[in-house]
Every structure is written in C-alpha cells, then in structure tokens.
Amino acid sequence: YNFTDIYAGVRYRLKSGIFTFTPGFTLHSYNSNNTQYGLETFEDKFFQFLPEFETIAQFKQSESLRFSYRQQVNFTDVVQIARGIVARDYDSFFAGNPELINASFHNVSLNYRSFNLFNNSNVFSRINYTKTIDQVNTNLNIPAGSIVSNSTSKNSPLDNESFTASLFAGKRFGKIQTGLGGNYNYNKSYQFINDVDNKNINNSYGFNARVGTNFRKAPNVTLRYNVSFLNQENTARPDVFK
C-alpha cells in the first residue's frame, strides 16, 4: 500500500474596520494504490481543490463573532482495504474492499464569545454543521437462515449530516457565580444490511444550570442541575426511542 500527497496552499488576510477576512485554498495531488496477492493493482490518482474561508468580526477586545468554512478529504484506514478475511468472532467475519475511495467533508461553524468585566458576565455560543460525502460504511451481510454474518466496507452513496449548537451564559454576583447553558445535536447517518440502506437519525438536547460560591480563603460549594433528552429513529425499526 502506498499513499502520496503533494500539496501547496495559499492564504490571504485582509482587515477592514472590525472585520478580518482570511480566504485561502489548498491544492492537493493524491496518489493512493495497493497491490494484493501480487495480482491486480488498484490505483486512485487525482487532484483536489480544497477551499477555506474565515471571517472575524471584532466588536471589541472581549467580544467577537467568528465564521469559518473548510473543505477536507479523508482516506480510510488500510485495514478497510485489505482483502484478507478477519474473524472478529466465531460467527462474524470481515473482508476489506480494495476499491474504496476517500470521503469528503464540508464544515461550517459560527462562534460567538463575549466577556464583560464591568458586569462580570460572559457568553459563549457555537453552531457547527458537517456534511460527509462518500463516507466509508460497513455493509453487513446476514444470509437467510444463518447465524453467521460477514461484512465489508463500501462508500456510501448517501450523505451523512451532523448539526450541533450550544450556548452558555454566566454571571457573577459578588461571591456567587451562576451559569446557564443548553445544547442541541442532530446526526443523520447510514448503515447497510444486505446492501439495503438503513437511516439512523439522532436528536438530542439538554439544559444545565449551576450556582456556586467563589471564595478565595474559604470552602466553596457548587450546585449543578443537568437534564437531557434523546430521540432516535431507525428505518429498520419503525418505533421511535425516546
């Protein structure tokens, strides 16, 4: 197995008022090839243009908003392309796929931070979205009437997606420190059973609160409360788990 990555990148930074712009890109020349059993050689050679962009709005020294976009590629582990059969258990076997290609990622994020010394408050928030193309997934084959399963890897023709959002706000009142936060997560992924796609959707969200003392020369006490909710959907199972 051989892998070569020859690349060159350019980034340019421009500042205008409260905004700082940093566009850029990386140009890659990839060459991935493998020969197994001394027979057929599988080769994947291509060029890839990967753009990226970042913008920062600096409202003040302690308050800013950052937006970024990045495209990336990922090559799977060599174990996934090895054609040799691996016995994972007495009734479970795995064989790699030498024709796997790389996965592509599109990532977008938005971050906000604010820290105010005058009223002793701080706010942090983050939103992130990722889309994965040609994700390497496992294809599980279970012959009818058999308890022995075999699996291999394949590039998914369906795109995986994930979205996360979080928010935290805190404020200090004298020697009392308080905080309140929340988060939300969405994830859509696929698995394959006997070459039939099975969609999994996970939705989860939660809230948290805390209050505590902030003494320097005395014991401190902190009280926390957390609650979370989970909603799972699976096309192979019509019921919804909550």
Side-chain angles (χ1 to χ4, degrees), residues 25 35 44-45 59 87 93 97 119 143-144 181 183-184 197 211-212 215 225 236 242:
F25 68 89
T35 302
D44 187 18
K45 185 176 182 180
F59 304 109
F93 299 89
N97 179 4
N119 59 16
N183 63 82
Y184 173 76
D197 62 274
V211 58
F215 299 113
Y225 175 77
K242 296 184 178 180

Side-chain angles (χ1 to χ4, degrees), residues 26-129:
T26 307
L27 183 63
H28 292 256
S29 174
Y30 293 111
N31 188 353
S32 174
N33 61 80
N34 66 90
T35 302
Q36 303 188 41
Y37 302 111
L39 301 175
E40 187 174 3
T41 297
F42 298 89
E43 185 175 20
D44 187 18
K45 185 176 182 180
F46 62 97
F47 290 94
Q48 185 74 41
F49 176 80
L50 302 177
E52 59 183 70
F53 180 78
E54 182 182 75
T55 300
I56 301 176
Q58 195 75 42
F59 304 109
K60 56 179 96 172
Q61 188 174 1
S62 59
E63 183 182 14
S64 64
L65 181 67
R66 180 190 301 264
F67 170 82
S68 64
Y69 166 78
R70 175 171 293 185
Q71 184 177 341
Q72 297 173 295
V73 299
N74 180 51
F75 289 84
T76 187
D77 191 280
V78 68
V79 175
Q80 301 289 332
I81 66 174
R83 298 176 65 183
I85 298 176
V86 178
R88 293 181 168 175
D89 207 337
Y90 74 94
D91 61 349
S92 177
F93 299 89
F94 173 83
N97 179 4
E99 298 183 356
L100 291 176
I101 62 174
N102 63 284
S104 299
F105 299 89
H106 297 268
N107 182 266
V108 180
S109 65
L110 183 66
N111 296 270
Y112 173 79
R113 61 177 292 273
S114 174
F115 182 75
N116 194 317
L117 290 174
F118 296 101
N119 59 16
N120 296 316
S121 65
N122 57 85
V123 178
F124 302 96
S125 64
R126 174 179 173 83
I127 298 175
N128 188 82
Y129 172 77

